[in-house]
Amino acid sequence: MVSTVALTLAAPCFGLRLGAPAYAQSPILTAWLAANAECKGGHGDDPKTAQACEKRDQIGARLKRRGCVYQEDGDWWKCPH
């Protein structure tokens, strides 16, 4: 009886592992998203906001050099990799 319960509980776990893999976002995209949120969410007269906007723009330039294209509708990047 114990083995039946164990197999019943284990079956969904195996099914979940066989599904489509979750893709992690690259660190550069994560950094851009964080800087973008800080830039848009900060106060206009706060130096930290200006620094976040500058950092976002620098990261955006790196993404463009890598062939990524910024999608204004939704605020995201489409990259060739």
Side-chain angles (χ1 to χ4, degrees):
M1 182 162 162
V2 172
S3 63
T4 303
V5 172
L7 288 175
T8 303
L9 294 175
C13 293
F14 289 117
L16 291 175
R17 285 182 173 246
L18 296 176
Y23 294 101
Q25 245 175 10
S26 71
I28 191 168
L29 287 174
T30 303
W32 185 89
L33 288 168
N36 186 49
E38 203 172 323
C39 174
K40 288 187 169 188
H43 295 289
D45 59 348
D46 188 357
K48 289 182 182 180
T49 302
Q51 289 173 349
C53 294
E54 186 178 329
K55 182 176 181 181
R56 178 197 62 185
D57 294 344
Q58 290 172 350
I59 296 170
R62 287 177 55 199
L63 287 166
K64 285 181 183 179
R65 286 193 299 271
R66 291 182 176 194
C68 300
V69 179
Y70 177 68
Q71 308 295 312
E72 288 185 35
D73 183 27
D75 230 9
W76 60 284
W77 288 87
K78 182 177 181 181
C79 297
H81 44 85

